Amino acid sequence: MPHRSRTDDTPVTIGPLDLRAHVDEALAVQAHAFGLSDDEIAVRRQIVLRHMTYPGARALGATTDTGRLVGFVYGMPNDRTHWWSTVVEPYLRARGTDHWLDDSFVITELHVHPGYQNRGIGRTLITTITDSAVQPRSILSAIDFESPARGLYRSLGYDDLARQVLFPSAPKPYAVMGAPLPLLRRIA
């Protein structure tokens, strides 16, 4: 069931997203939020399309009343044979946290257009997608510096499992974070 989040006078609807059909719109949001080059977008396009063929992969989008996609999240049950897991596993094993790779729902991407950030859209996207996960925990990676994204993840119950994780061709190190499900909610 779609969730409506009203901020100012801009209604945004959170609901299922056919990411294969809207990959270019989603990558435009990611490029704007994350600062990607055209070459990086082309590579990520192929990755997203491949990921959406994996069992259990699913996506949610945040759209305006005019149909503009302003945020998205996608993820899937983690599989130790997937590329991401093979990169992070040695870092997690060194900290005794590699068991997090099993029976986890991985948040592969979560991005909100900068003009729509700080309105609860990212929080709603990630909590909604993980609420329907059958796995008892969630994992993700984020650039390893104190950013608003890392603050959001911490507020939801994610803790650092490994830091200074180096991905091939990524210019900055990442942190791998994990949280038990369901994610924490704000107390009103």
Side-chain angles (χ1 to χ4, degrees):
M1 175 165 217
H3 171 276
R4 289 182 71 81
S5 172
R6 190 160 180 86
T7 56
D8 299 326
D9 289 330
T10 308
V12 175
T13 301
I14 308 283
L17 174 66
D18 179 350
L19 192 52
R20 291 180 61 82
H22 296 278
V23 65
D24 294 322
E25 294 168 71
L27 289 174
V29 170
Q30 184 176 0
H32 201 80
F34 214 55
L36 300 178
S37 70
D38 289 344
D39 289 341
E40 289 171 314
I41 293 169
V43 169
R44 288 177 187 245
R45 185 177 199 281
Q46 297 309 312
I47 292 168
V48 170
L49 292 174
R50 183 178 69 244
H51 283 167
M52 294 314 295
T53 67
Y54 292 170
R58 52 203 165 78
L60 296 174
T63 55
T64 66
D65 282 351
T66 62
R68 178 180 174 209
L69 186 70
V70 297
F72 74 101
V73 63
Y74 83 93
M76 64 196 84
N78 194 55
D79 185 326
R80 281 186 181 248
T81 65
H82 291 167
W83 176 84
W84 181 85
S85 289
T86 64
V87 173
V88 304
E89 190 272 336
Y91 294 92
L92 295 175
R93 188 174 1 94
R95 296 216 27 211
T97 57
D98 60 311
H99 62 280
W100 277 83
L101 293 173
D102 301 315
D103 210 16
S104 291
F105 187 81
V106 63
I107 300 299
T108 310
E109 299 288 349
L110 170 61
H111 299 285
V112 176
H113 187 283
Y116 290 81
Q117 291 176 1
N118 301 313
R119 299 178 183 194
I121 295 169
R123 178 179 300 277
T124 301
L125 285 166
I126 194 170
T127 56
T128 303
I129 200 167
T130 58
D131 279 351
S132 60
V134 297
Q135 296 76 17
R137 56 186 163 219
S138 174
I139 55 177
L140 56 79
S141 56
I143 296 176
D144 194 2
F145 75 96
E146 294 313 308
S147 64
R150 297 245 301 145
L152 168 65
Y153 301 144
R154 279 197 189 88
S155 75
L156 293 166
Y158 285 90
D159 289 316
D160 291 342
L161 303 175
R163 299 203 50 199
Q164 298 298 300
V165 175
L166 302 174
F167 287 99
S169 76
K172 297 176 183 172
Y174 280 70
V176 177
M177 302 177 79
L181 295 178
L183 296 176
L184 297 176
R185 298 309 202 266
R186 286 185 176 164
I187 298 172

